[in-house]
Amino acid sequence: MNSPSTRSSRPAPVSLGPPDPTLPLLEVDGLATHFLTERGMVKAVDGVTFSLRPGQTLGVVGESGSGKTILARSIMGLLPPRNVTRTGTVRFAGHDLTAMSERELAHVRGREIAMIFQDPMTSLNPVLRVGRQITESVRHHLGMSAKAARAWGTELLDMVGIPAPGLRMDDYPHELSGGMRQRVTIAIALACEPKLIIADEPTTALDVTVQAQILDLLQELQASQGMALILVTHDLGVVAGRTDDIAVMYAGKIVEHAPTPALFAQMRHPYTEALLRSIPKLDDASHTRLETIPGRPPDLVAPPPGCRFAPRCMLVQDRCRTELPELTAGGGSGHRYRCFYPVGTEIGEAARARNEAGATPAAASASTASAPRSSMASRVSTASESDGSRGH
Amino acid sequence: MSYFARKIGFLLIVLVAVTFLAAALIRLLPGDPATVIAGASGATEEELDQVRADLGLDDPLPVQYVGWLGDAVQLDLGRSYISKLEVRDTISDRAPVSFQLMLYAQIITLLIAVPLGVFTAYKAGTRFDRTANGITFAFLSLPNFVLGFLLIYLFAVKWNLLPASDYQPLSDSIGGNLKGLLLPALSLGLGQVAVYSRLLRVDMIATLQEDYVTMAKAKGLPIRRVLWRHALRPSSLGLLTVVGVNVGSLIGGAVVVEQVFQIPGVGLGLIGAIQARDYIVLQGLVAFVAIVYVLVNFSVDVLYAVLDPRVRHARASAA
Ligand SMILES: Nc1ncnc2c1ncn2[C@@H]1O[C@H](COP(=O)(O)OP(=O)(O)OP(=O)(O)O)[C@@H](O)[C@H]1O
Ligand code: SF4
Ligand SMILES: [Mg+2]
């Protein structure tokens, strides 16, 4: 692929140095984003810490409402202008993005970090031609001439697998199908050859058949361009074979974070286990919001005082309801989880056994794996009642 | 039937209805044109009858109207009873004047209202937003003529910067023309700044929530580019419609403003014709104004499609 910078009429303003492969590209530390609402403080992202090396891929997985989109937007500083507080730091190539002004951030956005949105139907501007939307960032960031930018845009469209790219440049978004539009947004993200792409559920709004194509394309481009990638999804199955690491989010916090093989070899957090069981079958309507884990995510205004997952957890013990577990390393190879009674450990399985034996009110019924939905639901409601009816 | 054919059919019906209503209403005005024409109080009853017969004023209204309409479609709008001038010539003299006045008023209004709408949307809820709101609504609540006299007092009398009443045709002097029409255009337009800017603000605030605006920010574009290139156009359809429809209220305002500043436009002509009971001139001017009004609305519709490719697309496939 020709680099856009080799085509530009003036040299790219180098705002940040080239990434050092031994240093983290992105370091998110204690990131918390809270919304001030009439009901109270919505803790959408609540103390997230992780880091990413250049070229590394990270899957961020969680149910609807777990804070994935807000996390992605908090990293780029793309939050609503009012009634939001963001604390913690986001360091990119050593620079603290949270300390930057909007003007400084504008040099990073699109140029260094690009974003792909959930819904390609709404993320393209309906009144601007596709070509203009692809080329404007290289025109702006790299100062490319109109002609060079057009050539580069056409090449990008070709690269993302759009037939007759030269003609499509003059189309308006409504003239393209959903899959084609998402390819366009990928082309837009690639335009300045960023070092990191954040893809927020890039396939959730698409047909099942198109989903795999888009994900394959992203993976391919990520590998060939050597970009780092954060792939946000609610589907553990999507990231299973595609990312180096997986971070599982629940109620604004990372509850488990591990290299993908380690996670699948031995998942430690009961929520991750439940998520795995809720991976949609191929024939499911995949754009429906998943809520296959019994019970509902907690109210983010008044989350449970202890472990956020306690009201829905199969392994819950008294301690979980009062004390918040920290994200701690266990089992080497960078596996971290936030649980007092991890799945597959002695104490964890003992807890499960106790609950299944009916020792705690949370386990009113039988085996977790084979429990019918209704009995799970009743167990969850019992749990939250005994919990003093926190939340909702 | 295509979209435009239906639209044009509808326009014709509206035009006939409006001109007929105008003809009917004019005859409800007190006063008798025959007395005016025949020379005030001195004329005898026979002379008056003669005048009425000549002018066809004795015929029933529908007959008069059909006669007028038959001539009008051949672009013959008749002659003034009084000045004997062709109504057509009166219109071609006066219309450009009113047109300039309204055009300048719209331009000035938009030049103020569009940036104001964009920035108050961007700064929604801040003190800047509230201050702009207060000031523009103050202007909206002032009637045109009050604003006109106020501007005359300040700019013409007190500071002596601009003339109170000095219309010069564009062909004589561009500068003089602009100078003479500036205060009238301001009196006509300033009140509408509130309407335009608030409307744009509301649509703009909605647009700023759109994913594609966040996407534009995610590209690292400067905020002014995000606002002007990405957010303004999708937000401007409502404004455009109102700018078009507003020509109607502008025409009403122009009559008053032309009177205040003594600008020889259609509005001043209308007032003169009413005072003189000059039915033919009045009816011709009303018909002209109605046609303009209807055509403006029609063009707004066409422009709509140009501004928003989705509308263009939907229409092409519906036709
Ligand atoms: N502007 C806002 N004001 C208040 N609360 C908000 C705002 N934006 C998001 N939230 C809340 O923050 C929480 C996290 O939202 P987020 O969009 O990040 O979820 P998500 O994990 O991306 O879910 P999904 O899979 O549905 O996209 C939700 O409970 C949401 O209601
Ligand atoms: S076992 Fe306890 S700490 Fe672990 S997830 Fe369940 S409730 Fe939370
Ligand atoms: Mg989301």
Side-chain angles (χ1 to χ4, degrees), chain A residues 97-374:
Chain A
L97 301 187
T98 52
M100 285 188 183
S101 70
E102 273 295 306
R103 271 186 59 192
E104 291 170 314
L105 265 179
H107 291 296
V108 177
R109 294 185 191 137
R111 175 77 183 90
E112 309 281 344
I113 308 177
M115 189 152 170
I116 299 169
F117 288 73
Q118 192 156 344
D119 187 353
M121 296 300 168
T122 59
S123 58
L124 289 172
N125 192 320
V127 304
L128 296 179
R129 290 177 202 278
V130 162
R132 160 73 77 84
Q133 298 191 55
I134 296 174
T135 55
E136 65 183 344
S137 60
V138 285
R139 301 262 289 134
H140 174 69
H141 288 299
L142 311 178
M144 227 187 236
S145 72
K147 215 176 137 207
R150 192 179 165 90
W152 173 232
T154 312
E155 196 179 325
L156 282 166
L157 282 185
D158 190 41
M159 208 187 306
V160 297
I162 288 184
L167 297 175
R168 297 288 83 79
M169 287 287 280
D170 294 321
D171 280 352
Y172 286 99
H174 70 262
E175 294 172 280
L176 303 174
S177 70
M180 286 295 154
R181 287 193 213 189
Q182 200 59 302
R183 285 171 195 268
V184 169
T185 64
I186 293 172
I188 292 173
L190 290 173
C192 292
E193 301 183 323
K195 299 187 187 80
L196 169 64
I197 289 190
I198 304 177
D200 183 6
E201 306 205 37
T203 60
T204 309
L206 303 176
D207 288 344
V208 188
T209 45
V210 185
Q211 288 191 7
Q213 292 171 15
I214 297 287
L215 288 167
D216 291 344
L217 172 71
L218 255 183
Q219 200 180 0
E220 230 170 76
L221 292 166
Q222 179 274 325
S224 66
Q225 314 291 306
M227 304 170 303
L229 174 70
I230 296 179
L231 182 57
V232 173
T233 173
H234 60 237
D235 184 352
L236 203 48
V238 160
V239 288
R242 299 181 199 273
T243 56
D244 301 326
D245 278 21
I246 291 179
V248 178
M249 268 188 96
Y250 187 77
K253 290 181 186 295
I254 291 181
V255 294
E256 186 160 13
H257 188 161
T260 308
L263 186 91
F264 280 98
Q266 183 61 74
M267 43 192 57
R268 291 300 189 192
H269 200 280
Y271 176 65
T272 316
E273 190 188 40
L275 257 190
L276 185 65
R277 238 182 273 126
S278 76
I279 289 182
K281 312 286 174 299
L282 263 179
D283 45 304
D284 281 353
S286 54
H287 47 270
T288 54
R289 299 204 156 183
L290 286 175
E291 221 181 329
T292 48
I293 303 172
R296 293 199 300 169
D299 180 1
L300 295 175
V301 174
C307 173
R308 305 288 190 250
F309 190 53
R312 304 165 77 186
C313 183
M314 313 272 185
L315 279 63
V316 61
Q317 302 293 308
D318 287 341
R319 182 186 181 192
C320 309
R321 300 205 180 88
T322 52
E323 217 179 308
L324 177 69
E326 289 300 317
L327 190 63
T328 43
S333 71
H335 200 148
R336 294 182 301 160
Y337 42 85
R338 195 186 277 280
C339 179
F340 295 129
Y341 304 95
V343 175
T345 62
E346 213 168 287
I347 46 168
E349 293 314 313
R352 195 199 299 271
R354 258 198 306 282
N355 287 356
E356 283 169 9
T360 77
S365 75
S367 144
T368 52
S370 59
R373 178 71 57 86
S374 57

Side-chain angles (χ1 to χ4, degrees), chain B residues 205-242:
Chain B
I205 286 174
T207 305
L208 291 178
Q209 315 283 322
E210 295 280 349
D211 273 357
Y212 58 80
V213 171
T214 312
M215 171 96 157
K217 288 185 198 154
K219 286 180 186 172
L221 301 177
I223 189 66
R224 76 193 127 76
R225 193 120 32 123
V226 173
L227 292 174
W228 291 94
R229 184 186 287 173
H230 282 265
L232 177 59
R233 236 174 83 188
S235 317
S236 60
L237 294 187
L239 175 63
L240 186 80
T241 312
V242 168

